[in-house]
Every structure is written in C-alpha cells, then in structure tokens.
Amino acid sequence: MNGTLLSLNVGRPKNVEWHGRTVYTGIWKSPVSGARLVRRLNVDGDGQGDLNGHGGEQRAVLVYQRDPYRYWQKHFARDQLEPGAFGENFTVEGLADDEVHIGDRYRIGEAEFEVTQPRVTCYRVGLRLGEPELPALLVAHHRPGFYLRVITEGHVRAGDEIARTRIGPHALSVADIDALLYLPDRNIEQLRAAVDIPALSPGWQQSFHELLAAAEAPATTPATTPPVGVEPGWTGFRRLRVSKIVPESATIASIYLEGDRLPTPRAGQYLTVRTSGDPAPVRNYSLSSGPDAGTYRISVKREPHGLVSTYLHTQVCEGAIVDVAAPRGEFVLADAKEPILLVSAGVGATPVLAMLHELAAEQSPRDIWWIHVARDRANHAFAAEAHQLVQSLPHATEYVHYTATSGRPGAATLADLHLPIDADTYICGPEAFMTDLRGALVDLGLDGARIRTELFGARTAINPGLTDARHTPPHQPPGPTGVGPQITFARSGLTTRWSGEHGTLLELADACDVPTRWSCRTGVCHTCVTPILAGDVSYTPAPLELPGTGQALLCCARPSTDVVLDL
Ligand SMILES: Cc1cc2nc3c(=O)[nH]c(=O)nc-3n(C[C@H](O)[C@H](O)[C@H](O)COP(=O)(O)OP(=O)(O)OC[C@H]3O[C@@H](n4cnc5c(N)ncnc54)[C@H](O)[C@@H]3O)c2cc1C
Ligand code: FES
C-alpha cells in the first residue's frame, strides 16, 4: 500500500466575484460520502471552469496530499482547512510530490490512474484560499500536487487504499518536473529524460521540447539567426536622424532613419517611435527595409485624426531627430525550406516587405508567394519595389488584389491561386482580414500552426476564467491621479502615472482596461512577460525566474523609473 484516499471531493464550476470582475471557476470542491464513478474526463459530479488550463483527459483528477495541508496551515497560520481546499478531487495520505513519478500508475478502488503532470499554477488556487501568493509558493516550496489520467474507469470512495502498480520511466518525480519547468538552472539531462516520458501530458512535453531546443541551440544555430526574443540592440530610446522621406501611396510615406552603427534587425521586427508632447506619445512601426539596408526605414499610414501618424506626416522633415527604441518583435522568418506565403493588406505590407527583401538578398530558392491586397492603384504602396524583388527571385509569384474593383478576397480567390499547402505563412493587415485569411488558408489545407500574424495594435488578452470580457478602450485608472513614475502602455496609446493604489504594473494595466495577459499573477508562469521599451522595474515578490533582458513580468513588477511598456 502506498497511501490512502482520505477524501473524495467534487464541485461544479460557478461564477465568483474577483477584483470587480467575474471568474467562472471549478476550484471550489467539497467532500462527498459514498462511492463515485470516475470516468475518463471527470469524477461524477465534478467539473472545471476553464478547460484550457484544467480538466480534459490529461488532467481529469487533481490530487493533493495531507502533508502539505499541515505545511500551509502552519505557513499561513490558518485553522484547519477542509479537504478540497486546494481544488483537489483526491485528498490523500502519502504520495508526496517528491516520491510520485510522472508515469506512475496507481490503483484506487475499481479504477486505475496514471500521473501525467504537476498542478498548473494559476491564480485561482490563491483566490480560493484568499492567499494570492500561493501559486508561486506551491512551486517555490516544491508542493504543487499532481494530475491523474484515468486508465480504467471505476468507482472510488474515501478510505480506499492506493497501490502503485507501475513506476514511470526515468523516475522523475512530480517535484522534479515542476521545478524543471518553473525554476532556473535547469538540468539538461533531466530535460532529455522528461521528453522521453510518454505519460507526460502533451502541453508539458512541448514546453520541455522548447526548453531543450533553446538549451542546445548555441551549439547548432549560427550567430546570424539568434533565437526569437533576442536582446534588443539598445536600451531605452535613441536619437536617430531622419535622412529621407518618400511618399509610397496616397496615404503612406516612408521615413528613413540613420544613426551610428545601427544593429541589424530581423526582417519583420518593428521600431518604437516617441514623438514630442507631454506625455510624449509612443507608437510602433514595422521596419519595411531589408535587414542589411544600413539605415532603418519605417512606412507610416496617415490615419484620419491619428496623433502620431499625422505628426510624422506633417511635422517631421529631413534632418529631424526622432526618439527610437531598438528593433523588437517575434514576427520573424523561421528558418525552413518549405514554400513561403507573404500575405498583406494595405500598410500591413511593411513587415512582410522586409521579409521579401531578406529572401531576395539571400536569393532564397524557396517557392515564395507575395500576396497583397490594396484598395486601388492609388493606395497600392511599394508596388514597383515588391514587383522587382519578386522578379529577382528564382521561384517567386506575385498576386495583387484591388478591393475597389474585385471586392474582398475570399476563399475562392485563394483556391484559384493553387497555393502550396505545405507553406509557412506570414500575414499582416487589419484584424478581420487576418482572421478571414487564416480561416480560408486552413480550409485549403494549410497547417494553422504554421500561419503567423502581426497585429498593428494591442495583443489579444489572455485572462483565464474571466467571463465578463470588456471592450472598453484603454483609459486613465479610476480614482485620484497618481504622482509616481509615468507609465506608458505603447500599443494601447495610453500614458498614466503610478500611484500606491495598484500593487503591480499588471493591476494598473487592468484598472486602465489595457488588454493584459496573465495566468498565475505571482511570477511563475511568465504569461505576463512584456517587452520593456524604456525604464526599469523592481519586483515584489521576486519572480522564481527573472525574464530575459528588456522584458518585465508585470504581475510582480513596480516601476523604479518612468517606464514604457510594449503593451
Ligand atoms: C507591432 C506594430 C507594428 C506597426 N507597424 C505599423 C506600420 O508599419 N505602419 C503604420 O502606419 N502603422 C503601424 N502600426 C500602427 C501604429 O503603431 C499606430 O497605431 C498608427 O500609426 C496610429 O497611430 P496614431 O497615433 O496616428 O493614431 P491614434 O491617435 O493612436 O488613433 C488610433 C485610431 O483612432 C482614430 N482616432 C483618433 N482620434 C480620433 C477622433 N478624435 N475621432 C475619430 N477617430 C479618431 C485614428 O484615426 C486612428 O485610426 C503598428 C503597430 C504595431 C503594434
Ligand atoms: S502571470 Fe504568471 S508570471 Fe506573471
């Protein structure tokens, strides 16, 4: 015997108030008496609220042990916590996280289970217990608990014995695997072992494959293709001189920027431009020049009533000095041999034009498609330039579509092109255009995972469990204006001041309805990682693993100076 099932706990998801928002969560579980049938996806009577993070075949049953109950009661000076308090289905005696291995199998009552992964750290366990820092502590103190997959369905009841029937390969414990994902100083041999455990759930497998590839990259990747998310070429803003301005269409003008020893960007990356004003507005512009151009070129569409685009079109002339943050961005060409589709609409041509320049400069032998949608001839920017680049390539095809005469390109238009279905695709344009095109390409048989998009605006929010999605444009936070450092959310076009009201930059962004991305909210999962374009932050509490240079983990960051965030 390896343990005992002390309590069997179930609970259906429900709406819960949290920071003035509504969260749909199944973290509340209560003990039940008698036997319950455990099926492939759930214990009878149980459910999960957010199936992206919890539940499903790999995470059918959550297990937590009696020992950590005692540990956390002491840590938080809490009275006895009732079974199910950590959101677990099985409260067990024994089966410690450092003794149970991924891939171990256990018989409990009539059913058999396999250990698939540690608990996913997320803010909801902290919400349940009123201890917001708990998600980070579960990892830092090596007591996460774990999930089971149901191998054989059957009845279980409190009091059942738990017997191990098989030990997982490589004998990597739940605590080992959890630390391997979330804590620094990873052991590469353990990473290799982890990806060789078939029982480990696919999501964790993928994360370990990526970590392994990154760890092994320096030996195999040439210096010219640094990994995505490379360090920016300089910190903060640098003064660059406008060397030339060239009209490209009725509404788009290119601005050439020069400076000493400009670092070579990656094709597809963008610059951040700060113009004058108080507060000085900040906007991103994709580089439209090839990486080896020696200067930087951005191409700006003048938006009616647009603050920065109008300023750049009307106030900036040759010789002007502009504050610019270093090239950044992960919308870059992946190293591959497959055909490549560069698809754009309007000013969305800029990042893919930079890619076309790069492919032409290296005389890429790939099958390359340049697909561009413009309103009409007058609004067709870069027509001659793109045409020449396509002509210079051995296997490139050009397709230009004018909506004024042909309407929006639909699935039939794309089908007529007979595109290669094994292609890597890069799309940039208005959000609806990208959504439609992606859908049409997937319908044609292209792999959705190999379609990348660049959005000229705030990134889509990741707010697990929140049901009351807000579509309010970003605004100043409620309450009195702060007097602390100036915080600029570049993609959202908002500048505000820090005040003691908000514990972290993430809370401030939430209060401003700036679209945010997070999961644990305590510095573990790195979902909230955000490029920091200028300024410095400090951390309370310190994250378990610091983000890369030029990035901040907003959920535990406070500004030390004025800060510009790419959010
Ligand atoms: C990664 C990235 C890359 C980008 N690359 C490019 C690029 O290569 N080229 C490019 O041109 N843009 C690009 N953008 C978009 C760019 O950053 C700006 O968002 C864009 O130039 C508009 O900024 P603005 O200050 O002119 O408009 P804002 O003042 O921010 O206004 C935003 C929108 O609201 C409208 N608006 C503002 N005030 C009013 C009002 N009073 N009444 C009605 N409507 C109003 C404007 O017309 C505009 O469409 C990129 C964005 C990102 C995130
Ligand atoms: S939300 Fe998980 S690290 Fe910030």
PDB file of all heavy atoms in Angstrom, residues 121 506 517-529 543 553-556, ligand 2:
ATOM      1  N   THR A 121       0.075  25.997 -12.254  1.00  0.00           N
ATOM      2  CA  THR A 121      -0.004  27.137 -11.335  1.00  0.00           C
ATOM      3  C   THR A 121      -0.938  28.176 -11.923  1.00  0.00           C
ATOM      4  O   THR A 121      -0.779  28.573 -13.066  1.00  0.00           O
ATOM      5  CB  THR A 121       1.351  27.812 -11.170  1.00  0.00           C
ATOM      6  OG1 THR A 121       1.798  28.172 -12.449  1.00  0.00           O
ATOM      7  CG2 THR A 121       2.320  26.942 -10.460  1.00  0.00           C
ATOM      8  N   LEU A 506       0.718  45.098 -13.535  1.00  0.00           N
ATOM      9  CA  LEU A 506      -0.401  44.346 -14.113  1.00  0.00           C
ATOM     10  C   LEU A 506      -1.730  44.879 -13.564  1.00  0.00           C
ATOM     11  O   LEU A 506      -2.689  45.076 -14.324  1.00  0.00           O
ATOM     12  CB  LEU A 506      -0.248  42.858 -13.802  1.00  0.00           C
ATOM     13  CG  LEU A 506      -1.345  41.950 -14.346  1.00  0.00           C
ATOM     14  CD1 LEU A 506      -1.417  42.027 -15.864  1.00  0.00           C
ATOM     15  CD2 LEU A 506      -1.130  40.506 -13.911  1.00  0.00           C
ATOM     16  N   ARG A 517      -2.167  39.990 -20.347  1.00  0.00           N
ATOM     17  CA  ARG A 517      -2.010  38.537 -20.484  1.00  0.00           C
ATOM     18  C   ARG A 517      -1.417  38.010 -19.193  1.00  0.00           C
ATOM     19  O   ARG A 517      -0.350  38.479 -18.792  1.00  0.00           O
ATOM     20  CB  ARG A 517      -1.036  38.225 -21.635  1.00  0.00           C
ATOM     21  CG  ARG A 517      -1.420  38.901 -22.925  1.00  0.00           C
ATOM     22  CD  ARG A 517      -0.423  38.606 -24.012  1.00  0.00           C
ATOM     23  NE  ARG A 517      -1.157  38.413 -25.229  1.00  0.00           N
ATOM     24  CZ  ARG A 517      -0.826  37.581 -26.195  1.00  0.00           C
ATOM     25  NH1 ARG A 517       0.269  36.870 -26.107  1.00  0.00           N
ATOM     26  NH2 ARG A 517      -1.572  37.446 -27.255  1.00  0.00           N
ATOM     27  N   TRP A 518      -2.091  37.045 -18.570  1.00  0.00           N
ATOM     28  CA  TRP A 518      -1.590  36.525 -17.302  1.00  0.00           C
ATOM     29  C   TRP A 518      -2.233  35.177 -17.004  1.00  0.00           C
ATOM     30  O   TRP A 518      -3.210  34.801 -17.634  1.00  0.00           O
ATOM     31  CB  TRP A 518      -1.867  37.510 -16.165  1.00  0.00           C
ATOM     32  CG  TRP A 518      -3.255  38.093 -16.159  1.00  0.00           C
ATOM     33  CD1 TRP A 518      -3.623  39.304 -16.660  1.00  0.00           C
ATOM     34  CD2 TRP A 518      -4.476  37.502 -15.647  1.00  0.00           C
ATOM     35  NE1 TRP A 518      -4.975  39.497 -16.486  1.00  0.00           N
ATOM     36  CE2 TRP A 518      -5.524  38.417 -15.863  1.00  0.00           C
ATOM     37  CE3 TRP A 518      -4.760  36.294 -15.017  1.00  0.00           C
ATOM     38  CZ2 TRP A 518      -6.842  38.167 -15.481  1.00  0.00           C
ATOM     39  CZ3 TRP A 518      -6.074  36.027 -14.635  1.00  0.00           C
ATOM     40  CH2 TRP A 518      -7.096  36.967 -14.867  1.00  0.00           C
ATOM     41  N   SER A 519      -1.640  34.476 -16.019  1.00  0.00           N
ATOM     42  CA  SER A 519      -2.260  33.242 -15.537  1.00  0.00           C
ATOM     43  C   SER A 519      -2.072  33.101 -14.034  1.00  0.00           C
ATOM     44  O   SER A 519      -3.019  33.102 -13.286  1.00  0.00           O
ATOM     45  CB  SER A 519      -1.703  32.024 -16.268  1.00  0.00           C
ATOM     46  OG  SER A 519      -2.284  30.861 -15.733  1.00  0.00           O
ATOM     47  N   CYS A 520      -0.788  33.027 -13.571  1.00  0.00           N
ATOM     48  CA  CYS A 520      -0.584  32.785 -12.135  1.00  0.00           C
ATOM     49  C   CYS A 520      -0.655  34.070 -11.315  1.00  0.00           C
ATOM     50  O   CYS A 520      -1.004  34.040 -10.157  1.00  0.00           O
ATOM     51  CB  CYS A 520       0.760  32.097 -11.907  1.00  0.00           C
ATOM     52  SG  CYS A 520       2.176  33.189 -12.143  1.00  0.00           S
ATOM     53  N   ARG A 521      -0.291  35.177 -11.896  1.00  0.00           N
ATOM     54  CA  ARG A 521      -0.248  36.505 -11.260  1.00  0.00           C
ATOM     55  C   ARG A 521       0.706  36.539 -10.085  1.00  0.00           C
ATOM     56  O   ARG A 521       0.605  37.419  -9.218  1.00  0.00           O
ATOM     57  CB  ARG A 521      -1.656  36.964 -10.837  1.00  0.00           C
ATOM     58  CG  ARG A 521      -2.627  37.091 -12.007  1.00  0.00           C
ATOM     59  CD  ARG A 521      -3.968  37.627 -11.583  1.00  0.00           C
ATOM     60  NE  ARG A 521      -3.902  39.027 -11.232  1.00  0.00           N
ATOM     61  CZ  ARG A 521      -4.239  40.038 -12.032  1.00  0.00           C
ATOM     62  NH1 ARG A 521      -4.651  39.790 -13.255  1.00  0.00           N
ATOM     63  NH2 ARG A 521      -4.137  41.272 -11.607  1.00  0.00           N
ATOM     64  N   THR A 522       1.651  35.613 -10.018  1.00  0.00           N
ATOM     65  CA  THR A 522       2.624  35.618  -8.917  1.00  0.00           C
ATOM     66  C   THR A 522       4.038  35.302  -9.394  1.00  0.00           C
ATOM     67  O   THR A 522       4.849  34.793  -8.631  1.00  0.00           O
ATOM     68  CB  THR A 522       2.236  34.595  -7.825  1.00  0.00           C
ATOM     69  OG1 THR A 522       2.001  33.339  -8.466  1.00  0.00           O
ATOM     70  CG2 THR A 522       1.031  35.002  -7.050  1.00  0.00           C
ATOM     71  N   GLY A 523       4.340  35.543 -10.661  1.00  0.00           N
ATOM     72  CA  GLY A 523       5.733  35.433 -11.102  1.00  0.00           C
ATOM     73  C   GLY A 523       6.216  34.032 -11.406  1.00  0.00           C
ATOM     74  O   GLY A 523       7.422  33.777 -11.337  1.00  0.00           O
ATOM     75  N   VAL A 524       5.338  33.105 -11.741  1.00  0.00           N
ATOM     76  CA  VAL A 524       5.774  31.736 -12.037  1.00  0.00           C
ATOM     77  C   VAL A 524       5.678  31.413 -13.528  1.00  0.00           C
ATOM     78  O   VAL A 524       6.630  30.940 -14.145  1.00  0.00           O
ATOM     79  CB  VAL A 524       4.915  30.696 -11.273  1.00  0.00           C
ATOM     80  CG1 VAL A 524       5.447  29.293 -11.515  1.00  0.00           C
ATOM     81  CG2 VAL A 524       4.881  31.001  -9.795  1.00  0.00           C
ATOM     82  N   CYS A 525       4.525  31.696 -14.132  1.00  0.00           N
ATOM     83  CA  CYS A 525       4.231  31.105 -15.448  1.00  0.00           C
ATOM     84  C   CYS A 525       4.793  31.912 -16.623  1.00  0.00           C
ATOM     85  O   CYS A 525       4.881  31.415 -17.733  1.00  0.00           O
ATOM     86  CB  CYS A 525       2.724  30.969 -15.619  1.00  0.00           C
ATOM     87  SG  CYS A 525       1.871  32.560 -15.732  1.00  0.00           S
ATOM     88  N   HIS A 526       5.184  33.161 -16.404  1.00  0.00           N
ATOM     89  CA  HIS A 526       5.733  34.054 -17.444  1.00  0.00           C
ATOM     90  C   HIS A 526       4.717  34.418 -18.535  1.00  0.00           C
ATOM     91  O   HIS A 526       5.102  34.908 -19.575  1.00  0.00           O
ATOM     92  CB  HIS A 526       7.024  33.479 -18.046  1.00  0.00           C
ATOM     93  CG  HIS A 526       8.196  33.620 -17.120  1.00  0.00           C
ATOM     94  ND1 HIS A 526       9.448  33.979 -17.548  1.00  0.00           N
ATOM     95  CD2 HIS A 526       8.297  33.490 -15.781  1.00  0.00           C
ATOM     96  CE1 HIS A 526      10.267  34.028 -16.499  1.00  0.00           C
ATOM     97  NE2 HIS A 526       9.591  33.725 -15.417  1.00  0.00           N
ATOM     98  N   THR A 527       3.429  34.161 -18.314  1.00  0.00           N
ATOM     99  CA  THR A 527       2.428  34.562 -19.309  1.00  0.00           C
ATOM    100  C   THR A 527       2.390  36.087 -19.453  1.00  0.00           C
ATOM    101  O   THR A 527       2.081  36.614 -20.515  1.00  0.00           O
ATOM    102  CB  THR A 527       1.030  34.058 -18.881  1.00  0.00           C
ATOM    103  OG1 THR A 527       1.133  32.667 -18.600  1.00  0.00           O
ATOM    104  CG2 THR A 527      -0.011  34.256 -19.971  1.00  0.00           C
ATOM    105  N   CYS A 528       2.721  36.808 -18.375  1.00  0.00           N
ATOM    106  CA  CYS A 528       2.595  38.275 -18.398  1.00  0.00           C
ATOM    107  C   CYS A 528       3.866  38.959 -18.890  1.00  0.00           C
ATOM    108  O   CYS A 528       3.977  40.178 -18.782  1.00  0.00           O
ATOM    109  CB  CYS A 528       2.258  38.782 -16.999  1.00  0.00           C
ATOM    110  SG  CYS A 528       3.604  38.493 -15.840  1.00  0.00           S
ATOM    111  N   VAL A 529       4.821  38.187 -19.410  1.00  0.00           N
ATOM    112  CA  VAL A 529       6.089  38.804 -19.825  1.00  0.00           C
ATOM    113  C   VAL A 529       5.829  39.836 -20.931  1.00  0.00           C
ATOM    114  O   VAL A 529       5.071  39.594 -21.860  1.00  0.00           O
ATOM    115  CB  VAL A 529       7.107  37.713 -20.256  1.00  0.00           C
ATOM    116  CG1 VAL A 529       6.787  37.122 -21.602  1.00  0.00           C
ATOM    117  CG2 VAL A 529       8.517  38.263 -20.253  1.00  0.00           C
ATOM    118  N   PRO A 543      10.229  37.225  -8.819  1.00  0.00           N
ATOM    119  CA  PRO A 543       9.761  36.045  -9.574  1.00  0.00           C
ATOM    120  C   PRO A 543      10.720  34.879  -9.380  1.00  0.00           C
ATOM    121  O   PRO A 543      11.887  35.080  -9.040  1.00  0.00           O
ATOM    122  CB  PRO A 543       9.773  36.533 -11.027  1.00  0.00           C
ATOM    123  CG  PRO A 543      10.605  37.761 -11.051  1.00  0.00           C
ATOM    124  CD  PRO A 543      10.654  38.318  -9.662  1.00  0.00           C
ATOM    125  N   LEU A 553       8.122  41.043 -15.963  1.00  0.00           N
ATOM    126  CA  LEU A 553       6.973  40.223 -15.552  1.00  0.00           C
ATOM    127  C   LEU A 553       6.032  41.157 -14.802  1.00  0.00           C
ATOM    128  O   LEU A 553       6.271  41.517 -13.654  1.00  0.00           O
ATOM    129  CB  LEU A 553       7.423  39.091 -14.620  1.00  0.00           C
ATOM    130  CG  LEU A 553       8.187  37.946 -15.246  1.00  0.00           C
ATOM    131  CD1 LEU A 553       8.451  36.876 -14.206  1.00  0.00           C
ATOM    132  CD2 LEU A 553       7.430  37.366 -16.426  1.00  0.00           C
ATOM    133  N   LEU A 554       4.987  41.589 -15.487  1.00  0.00           N
ATOM    134  CA  LEU A 554       4.156  42.664 -14.951  1.00  0.00           C
ATOM    135  C   LEU A 554       3.445  42.292 -13.664  1.00  0.00           C
ATOM    136  O   LEU A 554       3.117  43.148 -12.862  1.00  0.00           O
ATOM    137  CB  LEU A 554       3.119  43.097 -15.992  1.00  0.00           C
ATOM    138  CG  LEU A 554       3.672  43.648 -17.302  1.00  0.00           C
ATOM    139  CD1 LEU A 554       2.559  44.312 -18.077  1.00  0.00           C
ATOM    140  CD2 LEU A 554       4.797  44.632 -17.056  1.00  0.00           C
ATOM    141  N   CYS A 555       3.172  40.980 -13.440  1.00  0.00           N
ATOM    142  CA  CYS A 555       2.348  40.605 -12.299  1.00  0.00           C
ATOM    143  C   CYS A 555       3.054  40.819 -10.974  1.00  0.00           C
ATOM    144  O   CYS A 555       2.406  40.785  -9.926  1.00  0.00           O
ATOM    145  CB  CYS A 555       1.878  39.163 -12.426  1.00  0.00           C
ATOM    146  SG  CYS A 555       3.194  37.971 -12.261  1.00  0.00           S
ATOM    147  N   CYS A 556       4.384  40.991 -10.999  1.00  0.00           N
ATOM    148  CA  CYS A 556       5.044  41.283  -9.718  1.00  0.00           C
ATOM    149  C   CYS A 556       5.976  42.488  -9.855  1.00  0.00           C
ATOM    150  O   CYS A 556       6.842  42.691  -9.015  1.00  0.00           O
ATOM    151  CB  CYS A 556       5.760  40.050  -9.171  1.00  0.00           C
ATOM    152  SG  CYS A 556       6.561  39.044 -10.385  1.00  0.00           S
TER     153      CYS A 556
HETATM  154  S1  FES B   2       1.102  35.954 -14.733  1.00  0.00           S
HETATM  155 FE1  FES B   2       2.359  34.271 -14.342  1.00  0.00          FE
HETATM  156  S2  FES B   2       4.331  35.206 -14.234  1.00  0.00           S
HETATM  157 FE2  FES B   2       3.014  36.871 -14.373  1.00  0.00          FE
END
